[in-house]
Amino acid sequence: GAVVSQHPSRVICKSGTSVKIECRSLDFQATTMFWYRQFPKKSLMLMATSNEGSKATYEQGVEKDKFLINHASLTLSTLTVTSAHPEDSSFYICSARSTDRLPNEQYFGPGTRLTVT
Amino acid sequence: AQSVTQLDSQVPVFEEAPVELRCNYSSSVSVYLFWYVQYPNQGLQLLLKYLSGSTLVKGINGFEAEFNKSQTSFHLRKPSVHISDTAEYFCAVSDRLTGGGNKLTFGTGTQLKVEL
């Protein structure tokens, strides 16, 4: 149980285009979802926290107009990288938290590798 | 605010040998502590966590960790490693005040490489 999926697993896009990444909780309702970014050989950096039905809370230094987060339902959150540039290339990982499950645990998705050419 | 330090970026070890991956944290409030494992191009999998109670926590795949409040440490150990344990290991904390399931602060990770 507590499975989180991400789609796509890999995406290559051209500079200037937008790309959407989906994060789904498959067998539980995710009241809160988190989006992380991981650079090669580096730790995970929290980008934003989203609660279902409300606006995401972005971490300092993360451009909210560039990284659009939507958490429209209890099982789906999306991250849209707008006007992507090569420096946006990274591994993006989402996680989900639920009050039905252990509230002090986050369940992680498998990640999405974004390459901007 | 919290911070997590994993001093060892890489730890090479021979198969069947014991291993310890070090984690120290800093926080002005009480925390929950976690260890995650990440295999190449995959997300994170929870190995174990310390919430309260016994300071020795046992997790999956034969791993265990001990919470030491005085030394603000949460080192991960395994008595005998296997080739399949080769992966990146992340220590993380979250503060108890916000319920623990919120913001995770990660260390920079330790690459465990098990050799034959």
Side-chain angles (χ1 to χ4, degrees):
Chain A
V3 179
V4 176
S5 70
Q6 279 185 244
H7 178 79
S9 57
R10 290 176 178 272
V11 58
I12 300 172
C13 70
K14 291 188 177 178
S15 189
T17 61
S18 295
V19 61
K20 181 186 282 188
I21 302 169
E22 292 185 349
C23 176
R24 292 182 186 273
S25 56
L26 299 184
D27 54 357
F28 67 101
Q29 294 188 322
T31 46
T32 306
M33 285 185 166
F34 305 86
W35 286 95
Y36 295 86
R37 184 172 177 178
Q38 186 178 30
F39 294 96
K41 300 188 186 298
K42 296 284 187 183
S43 187
L44 281 77
M45 188 184 72
L46 179 65
M47 299 173 66
T49 303
S50 72
N51 292 297
E52 185 266 336
S54 58
K55 288 186 179 179
T57 303
Y58 289 81
E59 294 299 302
Q60 195 171 11
V62 177
E63 298 175 62
K64 58 181 69 175
D65 294 331
K66 181 166 189 59
F67 298 100
L68 301 178
I69 292 171
N70 185 280
H71 191 167
S73 79
L74 284 172
T75 58
L76 174 64
S77 176
T78 59
L79 166 68
T80 302
V81 183
T82 62
S83 188
H85 290 284
E87 56 266 30
D88 299 324
S89 298
S90 195
F91 194 52
Y92 292 87
I93 303 177
C94 72
S95 70
R97 172 181 174 244
S98 167
T99 50
D100 324 337
R101 300 278 176 149
L102 296 170
N104 42 36
E105 190 165 329
Q106 292 182 27
Y107 303 96
F108 285 82
T112 297
R113 172 78 58 194
L114 170 63
T115 303
V116 184
T117 60
Chain B
Q2 297 92 38
S3 67
V4 178
T5 302
Q6 291 180 250
L7 287 172
D8 306 306
S9 59
Q10 289 189 9
V11 173
V13 63
F14 287 109
E15 194 174 32
E16 296 184 7
V19 70
E20 178 179 86
L21 305 183
R22 296 181 293 168
C23 172
N24 288 87
Y25 69 93
S26 172
S27 176
S28 55
V29 299
S30 294
V31 296
Y32 295 127
L33 294 151
F34 306 82
W35 273 99
Y36 289 89
V37 60
Q38 184 181 33
Y39 298 100
N41 294 310
Q42 294 186 29
L44 274 67
Q45 181 182 7
L46 181 67
L47 275 179
L48 48 79
K49 60 188 175 186
Y50 173 75
L51 305 179
S52 64
S54 173
T55 56
L56 182 62
V57 180
K58 293 191 184 296
I60 62 170
N61 301 343
F63 284 94
E64 63 181 34
E66 185 152 20
F67 169 53
N68 187 318
K69 190 174 181 180
S70 62
Q71 295 186 2
T72 59
S73 68
F74 190 54
H75 300 331
L76 181 71
R77 301 186 185 99
K78 186 169 182 177
S80 176
V81 295
H82 190 266
I83 285 283
S84 59
D85 293 323
T86 295
E88 188 85 20
Y89 291 80
F90 291 97
C91 181
V93 302
S94 67
D95 76 76
R96 290 175 177 264
L97 292 180
T98 59
N102 286 328
K103 197 169 173 176
L104 281 170
T105 300
F106 285 89
T108 49
T110 297
Q111 175 67 42
L112 175 64
K113 187 172 181 182
V114 181
E115 301 167 352
L116 292 171

